[in-house]
Structures are given as structure tokens and as C-alpha cells.
Amino acid sequence: MAGHDELKLLGHWSSAYVTRVKLALHLKGVSYEYVEEDLRNKSDLLLASNPVHKTVPVLIHNGNPIRESQIIVQYIDEVFSGAGDSILPADPYERAVARFWAAYIDDKLLAPWKKVFRAKTEEERAAWMKQMFVAVDVLEGGLKECSKGKGCFFGGDSVGYVDVVLGGAVSFVHANDMITGGKLFDAARTPLLAAWLERFGELDAAKAVLQDVDRAVEHTKVRYARNAATAAND
């Protein structure tokens, strides 16, 4: 990174969206300062940097804030194009395909996953989980398409944009499996994604930034318990 570049990432350890930004920075070999935010007592810097949504992640580059994780990852890849391997494909069509599947992950997988924690009944939770499994089944085809049948990474032989977007959630995929006793990426149903999950976790960048799974399990249990208590009081 050039000497005049100053990067500061505002985040929270449990956020899959923050983790994908960390993954992008590590894959590019870009140094940065990380600031852990207390989301119940947000800093003045966070509130000033993201006054609309007041959420993490926010990347501050030379004093300028960049918001929303997918936008931040694309920004990192573009601004630091000379560092590390490209995250987005060079071909315009392949780049469009990657953006489609990245959006699919946020809209069809992670969005219902959030609703699982907010469900007030077991029936409601099961309905949101069903949507997640449907999304995973479709995403299996996305991995086959993006990897050109190789099934290694969404980026083909190497990690790409969709890998980074999905990779941010890897620790919580494992945590969810440990809590539920099931498999979100089941080798019998989605063999490509099951293999991807293990392969991604072995990457140096993943080992450097992914959350400890035991800590993710405890965090997830607390969220479930908090939601259950809220539902009981309604």
C-alpha cells in the first residue's frame, strides 16, 4: 500500500459483512487499522461516517468513508488493483455473473438467516430455515457456473468475489451446524458447497480473519436466547 494511504475499518467481530471486508484486505495484502465498535454504544466516528444506516462495516480511506460491505470489497479491489490478485473477474460478463451471485447470497441466504433469529415461534423459524436451504440448493448451481464446472472456488481455480462475499459467513455456518446438529452445506445434497466450505477454511486469509467457531457458537446461542425471551414477553 502506498505510504500516503490510510485505511481504517470500523467493525464488529461477529459481523459476516465485516469479515468479508477483512478477507478482501488480507487477500490483497493491504495493511489497515481495525476499530472494534460497541454496537450498543456506537462511536461518534461510526455515526459520522455512516449517518444513514449507522451500521458496520465502514472503511475510511484517507478520511473518506466507504459503506456497505459489497461496495467496500469492490472498492478495495479497484483502488488497490496493483496489490495481490484481482478479486472481481476482468471479463465484463463474468464480473456481472459474480455480482449477481453475490447479491443472491445477501438477498436469499443471509436475509432469511437474520429472520431465523427474530422468529417468535418454532414454525416461523422453520419457515425461514426452509428458505435458507432452498437458497443453498440454488447456490450449488451458482458455484458450478462460476467455477466453470471445476467446483474449486466461485472464482475458478482461485478465490474470487463471490467466495469473499460468502466466506464472511463461514464461521457461523459451522456454528449453526453445531447448534442444530444439521448441515447447511450438506455433502449429500450440495457436494460442491460442502467441499468449498472446507477448502475455503484452509486459506491463509480465512485462518487470519474468520471468527473462532466456539465463540461464534456462544454468540449464536445468546442471540437465540435473547430472541426467545423477547418473544415470551410479547
Side-chain angles (χ1 to χ4, degrees):
M1 185 173 69
H4 65 277
D5 284 317
E6 295 182 0
L7 280 179
K8 181 178 293 186
L9 175 61
L10 311 184
H12 187 266
W13 75 270
S14 68
S15 170
Y17 303 98
V18 173
T19 303
R20 65 176 54 155
V21 175
K22 290 181 177 179
L23 284 166
L25 289 165
H26 277 262
L27 286 168
K28 300 295 284 187
V30 176
S31 60
Y32 63 100
E33 176 187 354
Y34 177 69
V35 178
E36 178 74 7
E37 285 285 339
D38 179 354
L39 299 183
R40 295 188 178 185
N41 184 25
K42 298 174 183 177
S43 71
D44 291 340
L45 179 59
L46 174 59
L47 296 175
S49 301
N50 196 358
V52 177
H53 299 298
K54 303 178 176 64
T55 57
V56 293
V58 175
L59 183 70
I60 303 176
H61 182 203
N62 292 334
N64 297 315
I66 303 95
R67 312 167 187 95
E68 302 296 332
S69 62
Q70 289 200 28
I71 294 172
I72 295 172
V73 171
Q74 293 179 46
Y75 179 87
I76 291 168
D77 194 40
E78 181 177 354
V79 171
F80 301 103
S81 58
D85 295 329
S86 294
I87 295 173
L88 280 156
D91 179 79
Y93 174 74
E94 292 181 0
R95 193 159 59 244
V97 170
R99 284 173 171 154
F100 169 83
W101 286 112
Y104 185 88
I105 290 167
D106 277 1
D107 296 342
K108 301 299 183 181
L109 178 59
L110 297 189
W113 202 345
K114 293 178 184 177
K115 299 290 182 63
V116 168
F117 294 106
R118 300 170 186 168
K120 295 183 179 180
T121 65
E122 287 301 321
E123 291 77 10
E124 185 181 352
R125 180 175 291 108
W128 288 118
M129 286 296 296
K130 183 178 180 180
Q131 288 196 27
M132 289 175 60
F133 280 111
V134 170
V136 169
D137 289 343
V138 175
L139 193 58
E140 175 84 351
L143 176 52
K144 184 176 182 180
E145 176 186 3
C146 293
S147 67
K148 298 180 175 63
K150 298 177 182 178
C152 297
F153 295 104
F154 285 89
D157 291 325
S158 60
V159 173
Y161 181 56
V162 186
D163 298 287
V164 170
V165 169
L166 183 59
V170 160
S171 290
F172 285 93
V173 170
H174 290 301
N176 183 77
D177 291 349
M178 292 175 68
I179 292 170
T180 65
K183 289 284 186 180
L184 187 59
F185 296 169
D186 190 341
R189 193 183 69 253
T190 54
L192 296 181
L193 281 170
W196 174 91
L197 184 68
E198 298 305 317
R199 191 179 297 111
F200 189 89
E202 291 302 313
L203 295 171
D204 290 340
K207 292 178 180 179
V209 307
L210 290 181
Q211 299 92 337
D212 175 76
V213 174
D214 289 337
R215 189 181 183 191
V217 167
E218 292 307 312
H219 179 76
T220 303
K221 287 180 177 178
V222 168
R223 290 188 67 184
Y224 276 126
R226 186 183 300 134
N227 179 72
T230 301
N233 292 328
D234 286 346

